[in-house]
Amino acid sequence: MKKNLLEKLPKDAHKYSHGTVGVIAGSSEYSGAAVLCVGGARRGGSGYINFIYQDDLTQNLVLSAYPDVVARKSSKGLMVDCWIVGPGTPHLGRKFSTPVSKYAVLDSGAMKFAKGFNAQFVVITPHEGEARALGFAVGDGDFGRRASALEMARSLECIVVLKGNKTVVAAPDGLVVVDELGGPELATAGTGDILAGLIGSMLASWKPQSQKDVVVVVFKAISAHALAAKAASQILNPITSADILQYLPIVLNQ
């Protein structure tokens, strides 16, 4: 079992001190993705989760599931440690931006804004199809995936989480790590939405100060995500993304 996946809270911690997150996720077509993304963010250690909604259905679903989350109509003027943008294809205009932040996690249609995004450390989370849509061919086998992730990281000047069998994390400075925990139990709709939320929340909570340390925290999130899926699959078959959310606090407490 991986140790120290969550940042330990000091005795004088309060809800703002160990991470604030802003989530822009979901749409009328994919409202469930917002529920899953926010659900992942709630389990990553951050103390204050803001959800920026674009339609009433998505807002109601998120607040019904998580009354501790703060729903807002706009991101204007909202200062958070980490923005998580893109799960569930929210509408993002051509000139989309967020207030400045230390970290940002971009998924789905938001990944096209990665280069030059208004954050010191940017993480994108493509699967192979999304990588191709961004203009990057994905090579065959472990070596090919590693090389493709590194090419994306250097070209887009961000940290890349290339999802799939043996998820690859690559940084522009050449650092590459590969996950060996994740298995086929993760091959179900919505797992990527949870992962995006979890990564963002853990970054906001741990507050890494270097590119290398950001990669370390991202890898913690990937490990926790994989361990929760494995734990769920020991009891349930098949598992769903909702099951992973249920098991996350269990594995994070071990």
Side-chain angles (χ1 to χ4, degrees), residues 10 31 66 74 81 91 142 159 162 179-180 197 199 213 236-237:
S31 53
Y66 316 122
S74 171
D81 295 307
H91 174 72
D142 293 347
I159 293 166
L162 181 58
D179 172 59
E180 300 285 349
I199 290 172
D213 288 342
L236 306 168
N237 185 34

Side-chain angles (χ1 to χ4, degrees), residues 24-34 51 54-55 58 86-91:
I24 302 176
S27 59
S28 57
E29 187 175 4
Y30 299 108
S31 53
F51 172 60
Q54 297 184 345
D55 64 274
T58 306
T89 60
H91 174 72

Side-chain angles (χ1 to χ4, degrees), residues 212-226:
K212 178 182 177 181
D213 288 342
V214 169
V215 170
V216 169
V217 174
V218 169
F219 205 70
K220 286 178 184 288
I222 293 169
S223 297
H225 187 248

Side-chain angles (χ1 to χ4, degrees), residues 110-182:
M111 292 187 289
K112 64 187 177 185
F113 299 104
K115 193 169 185 177
F117 197 81
N118 204 16
Q120 182 177 352
F121 298 105
V122 177
V123 179
I124 65 171
T125 59
H127 54 60
E128 291 190 7
E130 290 170 327
R132 294 187 185 97
L134 289 170
F136 298 92
V138 179
D140 295 329
D142 293 347
F143 179 81
R145 283 173 50 81
R146 289 166 63 103
S148 298
L150 185 56
E151 179 190 5
M152 278 189 282
R154 286 174 167 164
S155 177
L156 299 177
E157 300 174 359
C158 66
I159 293 166
V160 173
V161 177
L162 181 58
K163 297 179 292 191
N165 181 33
K166 296 187 178 180
T167 290
V168 179
V169 183
D173 65 1
L175 177 62
V176 178
V177 291
V178 180
D179 172 59
E180 300 285 349
L181 289 173

Side-chain angles (χ1 to χ4, degrees), residues 3-158:
K3 300 295 184 182
N4 301 320
L5 293 173
L6 286 183
E7 170 75 319
K8 186 176 180 179
L9 296 180
K11 291 182 179 180
D12 61 349
H14 54 81
K15 62 186 176 183
Y16 300 113
S17 67
H18 58 101
T20 57
V21 168
V23 179
I24 302 176
S27 59
S28 57
E29 187 175 4
Y30 299 108
S31 53
V35 177
L36 295 169
C37 181
V38 172
R42 291 175 69 249
R43 295 303 186 185
S46 291
Y48 202 100
I49 311 298
N50 299 274
F51 172 60
I52 315 303
Y53 66 93
Q54 297 184 345
D55 64 274
D56 291 340
L57 171 61
T58 306
Q59 178 200 19
N60 291 338
L61 286 173
V62 169
L63 290 183
S64 295
Y66 316 122
D68 49 286
V69 170
V70 179
R72 303 177 185 272
K73 186 65 175 175
S74 171
S75 63
K76 186 176 181 180
L78 180 61
M79 304 306 294
V80 296
D81 295 307
C82 183
W83 284 102
I84 304 163
V85 187
T89 60
H91 174 72
L92 306 173
R94 290 174 56 189
K95 297 182 179 180
F96 169 78
S97 66
T98 60
V100 66
S101 61
K102 184 82 170 180
Y103 316 100
V105 178
L106 309 180
D107 186 43
S108 188
M111 292 187 289
K112 64 187 177 185
F113 299 104
K115 193 169 185 177
F117 197 81
N118 204 16
Q120 182 177 352
F121 298 105
V122 177
V123 179
I124 65 171
T125 59
H127 54 60
E128 291 190 7
E130 290 170 327
R132 294 187 185 97
L134 289 170
F136 298 92
V138 179
D140 295 329
D142 293 347
F143 179 81
R145 283 173 50 81
R146 289 166 63 103
S148 298
L150 185 56
E151 179 190 5
M152 278 189 282
R154 286 174 167 164
S155 177
L156 299 177
E157 300 174 359
C158 66

